[in-house]
């Protein structure tokens, strides 16, 4: 699928992402005036909007594209995750057809996902202004609007629960429970947030060397009435947040799993 062309203004993107070396040249700085390859490897972007056939759609929270080292792009549409091979030549990124997970999405999220995967394909012209990267097809009818994202710490970040994990399998949240479950790991040794309906609070210990988060004792919760989907999610999260958990922090994505491989995935809130 996607090809993308990103920008001739190299120094700002290097400063934004701390990628590359100081003193990178601009357009025409290579030998014989050849434009250097766009240094996108290791950069992380929030998707603000996509345009398909001239129609612009704002992105849902969590939509993102990350350019990894070694010629890979990975991202999230706001529901499913995707990955693709990427090659860079000058200001052109060539993106192979994407692999996409198959988590069920609400209708609006499915529509946006279809548009995102269509826009993030083919030859794309890139333009960078400040921390904004614009990628557009040659005819200008398809494209993406991206904003540079910085990594966030485990503590002090509000994490929005996006999905459930069971071993190597990922699943969407129960239909009707999306969007509310969040958690915040404080510097004071407490984890607080919402389980999908009720608020909760518990004492927790973080071992950064072992990459573990240990919730000490069942969480204290409020007693609001919940819908069936919210209660199903709340019960799952309540059981999970009781005891030791392994955590994996990848830029702005957090995964928590217990010893049996059951767990959750969450993203740092940005909107």
């Amino acid at each position: 699928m996607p090809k993308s062309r990103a920008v001739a203004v190299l120094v700002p993107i290097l400063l934004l992402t701390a990628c590359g070396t100081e003193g990178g040249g601009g357009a025409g700085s290579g030998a014989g005036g050849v434009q250097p390859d766009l240094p996108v490897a290791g950069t992380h972007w929030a998707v603000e909007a996509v345009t398909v056939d001239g129609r612009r759609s704002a992105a849902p929270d969590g939509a993102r594209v990350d350019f990894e080292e070694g010629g890979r792009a990975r991202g999230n549409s706001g529901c499913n995750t995707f990955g693709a091979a990427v090659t860079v030549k000058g200001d052109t990124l060539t993106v192979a057809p994407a692999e996409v997970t198959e988590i069920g999405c609400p209708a609006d999220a499915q529509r946006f996902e279809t548009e995102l995967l269509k826009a993030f394909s083919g030859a794309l012209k890139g333009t960078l202004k400040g921390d904004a990267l614009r990628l557009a097809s040659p005819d200008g009818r398809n494209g993406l609007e991206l904003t540079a994202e910085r990594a966030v710490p485990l503590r002090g970040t509000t994490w929005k629960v996006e999905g459930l994990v069971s071993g190597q399998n990922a699943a969407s949240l129960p239909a009707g429970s999306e969007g509310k479950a969040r958690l915040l790991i404080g510097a004071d040794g407490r984890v607080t947030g919402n389980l999908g309906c009720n608020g909760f609070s518990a004492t927790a210990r973080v071992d950064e060397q072992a990459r573990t988060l240990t919730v000490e004792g069942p969480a204290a919760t409020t007693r609001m009435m919940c819908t069936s989907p919210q209660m199903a999610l709340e019960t799952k999260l309540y059981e999970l947040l009781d005891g030791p958990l392994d955590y994996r922090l990848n830029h702005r994505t957090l995964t928590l799993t217990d010893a049996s491989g059951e767990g959750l995935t969450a993203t740092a809130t940005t909107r």
Side-chain angles (χ1 to χ4, degrees):
M1 264 200 158
K3 275 176 184 184
S4 35
R5 289 177 156 191
V7 324
V9 184
L10 302 182
V11 173
I13 196 170
L14 294 174
L15 295 176
L16 271 172
T17 61
C19 240
T21 58
E22 294 183 0
S29 63
V34 176
Q35 186 176 23
D37 291 345
L38 180 72
V40 294
T43 63
H44 304 265
W45 305 89
V47 181
E48 300 295 339
V50 300
T51 299
V52 172
D53 296 329
R55 186 183 71 178
R56 184 180 184 274
S57 298
D61 191 13
R64 58 182 300 103
V65 177
D66 300 332
F67 294 99
E68 300 179 343
E69 303 288 347
R72 293 287 298 174
R74 297 191 184 277
N76 191 294
S77 69
C79 180
N80 279 289
T81 59
F82 60 88
V86 177
T87 57
V88 182
K89 185 175 182 180
D91 65 353
T92 300
L93 288 105
T94 304
V95 186
E99 318 93 43
V100 187
T101 59
E102 297 182 352
I103 295 173
C105 306
D108 286 348
Q110 184 63 63
R111 178 188 59 78
F112 181 83
E113 179 174 290
T114 300
E115 293 179 346
L116 171 60
L117 294 176
K118 183 175 181 179
F120 190 54
S121 64
L124 301 175
K125 172 68 177 178
T127 304
L128 179 69
K129 293 183 179 179
D131 62 355
L133 176 62
R134 301 291 183 263
L135 304 174
S137 60
D139 62 9
R141 293 185 58 79
N142 297 340
L144 293 87
E145 300 170 26
L146 308 176
T147 300
E149 282 192 332
R150 294 166 179 80
V152 296
L154 176 67
R155 292 185 176 93
T157 299
T158 298
W159 298 99
K160 179 184 175 183
V161 179
E162 300 283 3
L164 300 174
V165 176
S166 181
Q168 298 299 312
N169 300 316
S172 56
L173 301 179
S177 69
E178 305 92 340
K180 192 171 181 181
R182 297 167 188 259
L183 57 93
L184 171 66
I185 303 163
D188 60 356
R190 296 196 66 76
V191 55
T192 58
N194 189 288
L195 297 171
C197 176
N198 283 286
F200 78 96
S201 177
T203 301
R205 290 182 291 105
V206 176
D207 186 331
E208 294 183 358
Q209 184 172 4
R211 298 291 183 185
T212 59
L213 169 72
T214 302
V215 182
E216 299 178 330
T221 68
T222 57
R223 300 295 182 184
M224 292 174 57
M225 295 295 293
C226 306
T227 65
S228 294
Q230 290 172 333
M231 183 57 73
L233 176 60
E234 184 156 303
T235 300
K236 179 73 174 179
L237 296 181
Y238 183 82
E239 293 173 350
L240 178 68
L241 296 171
D242 183 11
L245 301 168
D246 292 326
Y247 75 83
R248 183 169 70 254
L249 183 60
N250 181 14
H251 196 65
R252 300 178 67 90
T253 301
L254 174 67
T255 303
L256 295 173
T257 52
D258 63 17
S260 68
E262 298 292 312
L264 63 85
T265 59
T267 58
T269 58
T270 57
R271 297 177 176 85

